[in-house]
Amino acid sequence: MISKSNKPLRTAAYCRVSTDQELQENSYETQQAYFRSRIASDPAKSLAGIYGDKGKTGRSLHGRTGLQALLHDCEAGLIDLVLVKSLSRFSRNLPDCLTMVRKLKELGIPVIFEKEGINTMEGSGELLLSIMAAIAQEESRSIGENLRWAIMQSNAKGEPFFHPSYGFRRKKDSRAWEIFPMEAQRVRRAFSLAATGRWTYQEILAELNRIEQSQKTGDVWRKKRLAYLLTNVVYMGDCLTNRTYHVYTDKMIVRPNRGERDQYYIEDHHPAIIRRAMFERVQQVMKSGLLHSSYKRRNAAQLALLADERWQLEQREEEDA
């Protein structure tokens, strides 16, 4: 392909990998190196940029900052041609794929999918693209269903397959979890304040955000995140699988699990950050509404809970055991 002005075509490439296996196999770096070499070896092309997304699904545009940057630069007139290794790297969602390709076509920018041999500016390009994109979308749905089945089997064996929660990291070369000290400090602080019953959500959030600001992490705590943390059994060493589940339509939707999927409760799956007595105390405090109320509005039941110090004795017994 030669530019009408005889100037090299400003050529961009898009790369994507979605799985840990692909990341471990350096697939992302391999794709980048391939396109750099391919463009550099063609005098009719000049490199406009290599855009990409690591660990992102092709089912949705959400979170794919590399693809969004590519589209933005195309609209800004910085790119003449886009190269992609295969259609599945670009998108596994038929409506999204066609929308992006048509938008670039209106800008006079062809997208070439090398594996499928599709040039979107050619007459048959969109028909072929529609067929191949539909196949890619169906393959993605099938992969999703197979993956869900494999995860359920793993959960049933007591080996939950999901990323470690905040406060934990996965051990090197292992699926086992270990405590991440800096984040565990925040977890312990949040639970210890909530357990007293004398700190509201807003006050706990202010304390956590004060810690983040003092350490210049850039992290921000909000109520929804704090409430999720305070009810998550992982912090006492257990796991509850499938708290949410995914629905695959034209895009992936995350829904809370209210019985639609089997759940498994696994005790002592990993090291605990807090004691069980403290976790159970916090659940009582949350249920009572103490984290919402100020001192002046506390009712008799809340005052009785504040006066009950049995949980502290239980925690000491756990520590001594």
Side-chain angles (χ1 to χ4, degrees):
M1 182 179 293
I2 301 174
S3 168
K4 291 180 180 179
S5 63
N6 293 323
K7 291 182 180 180
L9 287 168
R10 297 168 298 174
T11 305
Y14 177 74
C15 312
R16 182 183 66 81
V17 293
S18 61
T19 66
D20 288 340
Q21 182 180 355
E22 286 180 316
L23 289 171
Q24 290 167 4
E25 293 173 350
N26 296 318
S27 175
Y28 185 77
E29 288 73 17
T30 300
Q31 289 180 58
Q32 286 187 317
Y34 166 78
F35 281 117
R36 289 185 190 281
S37 175
R38 188 187 184 305
I39 294 169
S41 64
D42 187 342
K45 298 181 177 67
S46 65
L47 181 63
I50 305 291
Y51 300 78
D53 293 296
K54 283 187 176 183
K56 299 297 181 182
T57 177
R59 298 188 189 99
S60 170
L61 296 179
H62 179 71
R64 294 174 67 185
T65 55
L67 181 57
Q68 291 165 5
L70 170 66
L71 297 174
H72 177 271
D73 288 351
C74 286
E75 291 176 341
L78 303 177
I79 295 169
D80 301 316
L81 171 66
V82 176
L83 303 178
V84 186
K85 188 67 176 174
S86 68
L87 180 58
S88 63
R89 299 296 175 189
F90 193 64
S91 178
R92 287 185 179 273
N93 182 303
L94 177 56
D96 283 349
C97 184
L98 293 178
T99 297
M100 288 187 289
V101 165
R102 287 168 181 164
K103 187 173 186 178
L104 294 177
K105 193 172 182 179
E106 288 174 2
L107 295 171
I109 301 173
V111 181
I112 295 178
F113 298 100
E114 295 196 337
K115 180 180 177 181
E116 293 82 5
I118 295 175
N119 182 335
T120 58
M121 295 299 282
E122 294 178 353
S124 61
E126 182 157 329
L127 175 60
L128 287 171
L129 182 67
S130 297
I131 295 170
M132 299 306 296
I135 293 171
Q137 180 171 298
E138 185 55 36
E139 286 178 347
S140 177
R141 185 177 290 111
S142 177
I143 291 169
E145 289 299 316
N146 291 337
L147 180 60
R148 183 169 72 86
W149 181 87
I151 290 172
M152 290 299 294
Q153 294 300 308
S154 181
N155 289 341
K157 294 177 182 178
E159 300 172 355
F161 191 88
F162 51 80
H163 290 292
S165 299
Y166 179 87
F168 299 95
R169 293 292 187 275
R170 201 180 297 282
K171 289 183 178 180
K172 188 176 181 180
D173 301 324
S174 170
R175 287 176 60 183
W177 294 13
E178 61 184 358
I179 293 173
F180 186 62
M182 187 183 78
E183 294 176 357
Q185 176 195 23
R186 274 77 160 165
V187 173
R188 293 189 186 99
R189 186 62 173 156
F191 272 94
S192 63
L193 295 178
T196 68
R198 301 182 187 279
W199 289 62
T200 64
Y201 277 117
Q202 294 305 316
E203 291 167 337
I204 298 172
L205 287 171
E207 170 65 7
L208 293 175
N209 285 322
R210 182 196 64 77
I211 294 172
E212 304 298 354
Q213 290 168 8
S214 68
Q215 297 186 12
K216 298 180 180 180
T217 64
D219 204 359
V220 178
W221 286 85
R222 304 190 189 282
K223 183 179 175 182
K224 184 177 180 180
R225 180 185 179 189
L226 174 59
Y228 185 84
L229 181 144
L230 293 175
T231 58
N232 198 337
V233 298
V234 299
Y235 297 114
M236 58 177 178
D238 299 346
C239 272
L240 175 63
T241 69
N242 298 333
R243 293 185 71 172
T244 60
Y245 68 99
H246 296 161
V247 176
Y248 301 104
T249 54
D250 288 341
K251 60 182 179 179
M252 184 178 69
I253 303 171
V254 180
R255 291 179 178 169
N257 186 2
R258 298 190 174 94
E260 293 87 353
R261 299 285 188 273
D262 291 337
Q263 290 184 297
Y264 298 90
Y265 193 96
I266 304 163
E267 293 185 349
D268 301 321
H269 168 262
H270 54 268
I273 292 178
I274 62 165
R275 302 287 179 178
R276 292 182 184 274
M278 178 176 283
F279 182 86
E280 291 164 2
R281 165 71 176 186
V282 169
Q283 307 319 297
Q284 291 178 326
V285 169
M286 295 179 73
K287 187 176 180 180
S288 75
L290 276 168
L291 298 186
H292 293 284
S293 61
S294 66
Y295 179 78
K296 293 180 180 179
R297 294 199 300 268
R298 287 170 185 161
N299 57 39
Q302 290 173 332
L303 291 172
L305 185 59
L306 288 173
D308 186 355
E309 298 182 350
R310 287 175 295 178
W311 71 277
Q312 293 176 321
L313 176 61
E314 292 171 359
Q315 177 159 291
R316 285 195 291 271
E317 289 175 348
E318 280 189 63
E319 291 171 353
D320 294 338

